[in-house]
Amino acid sequence: MRVLAVGPQRLAPVRALTRLPLRVQTGADCWLAFLPETGDCPAGAAALHPDGALWIAVVPALRRRGVGRALHATAMAAAQAQGLARVVSWRGTDTPEAAAFCAAVGLQVVRTIETFETTLANTVRFFGRYRDRLLARGRLPAGILEQNDGEVPWGAYGAALIEAFGPPAAVRLDRILRSGLEPNEWAQALHLDGRPVAVTLGSRGSDWASTDLYLVQPAFRRGWAHIESKFRAARRLHRRHREIERHRFSTADEHGDTRRAYEVGIRRGFEAARIACEHYYACELEKPSCRAAC
């Protein structure tokens, strides 16, 4: 098996074969793996980002052939050479194969987030209906300030997001604070009378959008904030990206129960396809010994 360092532009064939949104940050190290029988057609790819985020993708028909392990070993060696203290990975679907691979290479689950899979139109319609009720009853305050993308003041939410979502949030926020949002990322924050209310950070692809991190401040968790935040975020995405249909998000944040909210929503007419589990993995790296470093 060959593992070659390549530029991000060489990852396109693996994206096509795996149908995964393999995002690459500026400055990432990338590799392609080749099996003898596949010739110049890659069997898998990996990317290690400067913030320690790692993804590995293997062509489905070529799994269980050692491709993932070879890419993982290469990426971990590079991470140690760069002096990274931790590598963080993410798996968006709860599959036995993915769990077995992560366990085999020493990646441990540090966070599990349950999300709904539906459409943007359904999300706008469902939360819009509840928002209309809030307006009719006079329970939606005036003067809500909405900030989007580069306007979001991460300093007002960073500590709370890291406390709620752990290492994956810390890695991602550190990268955003240093270099800003990636082209495929979106963010929204709500403020009222100068007080931070809620923040949402998500991603999008050619036909999908996801809410990755979401938090409502404690003072606003009972009342209008959940409805207004989710409605505004979905409406903005729907207006700006008509090509997007699929939407993945959590109705309950870290202080709620997604499955219970899912059951209640279905009874009230919310059209969600299913609940999906998103697992975040991490691996602490050993510091090189003095002899090895010298």
Side-chain angles (χ1 to χ4, degrees):
M1 182 184 304
R2 294 178 298 144
V3 177
L4 302 179
V6 298
Q9 69 277 5
R10 294 280 304 278
L11 302 180
V14 177
R15 287 193 183 94
L17 290 169
T18 61
R19 297 184 179 181
L20 294 174
L22 307 177
R23 303 187 296 269
V24 180
Q25 299 172 13
T26 301
D29 291 326
C30 304
W31 299 272
L32 289 177
F34 301 85
L35 290 169
E37 60 268 36
T38 63
D40 293 332
C41 184
L48 176 67
H49 301 102
D51 57 16
L54 167 69
W55 62 249
I56 297 172
V58 179
V59 176
L62 301 175
R63 290 172 182 167
R64 305 186 68 83
R65 306 280 296 277
V67 176
R69 286 176 178 268
L71 288 165
H72 177 267
T74 301
M76 296 300 282
Q80 283 193 311
Q82 294 172 22
L84 295 175
R86 166 180 289 195
V87 168
V88 177
S89 191
W90 168 84
R91 178 67 190 176
T93 55
D94 188 16
T95 63
E97 295 82 2
F101 171 78
C102 290
V105 299
L107 289 167
Q108 298 181 340
V109 177
V110 294
R111 203 77 185 154
T112 297
I113 300 174
E114 295 180 327
T115 60
F116 294 172
E117 288 192 355
T118 182
T119 67
L120 271 177
N122 286 339
T123 304
V124 173
R125 183 166 51 248
F126 181 77
F127 287 106
R129 187 172 67 192
Y130 281 91
R131 182 176 186 266
D132 290 341
R133 294 181 185 178
L134 290 173
L135 285 168
R137 297 171 183 174
R139 295 181 180 176
L140 192 62
I144 299 172
L145 173 64
E146 175 183 319
Q147 296 172 293
N148 294 297
D149 300 334
E151 302 172 346
V152 172
W154 295 108
Y157 299 97
L161 284 170
I162 292 171
E163 181 180 357
F165 293 97
V171 168
R172 192 166 179 181
L173 290 174
D174 178 67
R175 187 258 303 162
I176 290 173
L177 289 172
R178 287 188 289 105
S179 56
L181 294 174
E182 293 288 322
N184 64 309
E185 290 180 316
W186 60 271
Q188 184 177 92
L190 300 184
H191 286 240
L192 180 65
D193 299 330
R195 301 170 64 192
V197 174
V199 66
T200 306
L201 174 63
S203 310
R204 65 176 181 271
S206 60
D207 65 345
W208 61 271
S210 67
T211 295
D212 305 329
L213 301 177
Y214 165 72
L215 183 82
V216 174
Q217 296 286 20
F220 297 96
R221 283 180 188 151
R222 298 183 65 85
W224 55 270
H226 285 284
I227 299 296
E228 184 68 1
S229 177
K230 288 182 169 62
F231 171 76
R232 289 198 183 207
R235 181 181 62 180
R236 181 169 181 266
L237 283 169
H238 194 46
R239 287 176 172 176
R240 292 169 60 90
H241 303 281
R242 290 291 183 179
E243 73 281 5
I244 291 179
E245 294 186 3
R246 293 184 294 138
H247 185 212
R248 187 178 68 238
F249 75 105
S250 172
T251 286
D253 68 0
E254 193 61 18
H255 307 275
D257 184 335
T258 298
R259 290 187 178 271
R260 181 177 178 277
Y262 174 82
E263 294 168 358
V264 172
I266 292 298
R267 290 199 299 269
R268 295 178 179 177
F270 181 60
E271 301 176 20
R274 67 187 182 100
I275 289 181
C277 289
E278 298 179 353
H279 295 309
Y280 291 83
Y281 296 86
C283 179
E284 303 289 341
L285 298 179
E286 295 182 2
K287 294 183 178 179
S289 64
C290 179
R291 180 176 297 178
C294 299

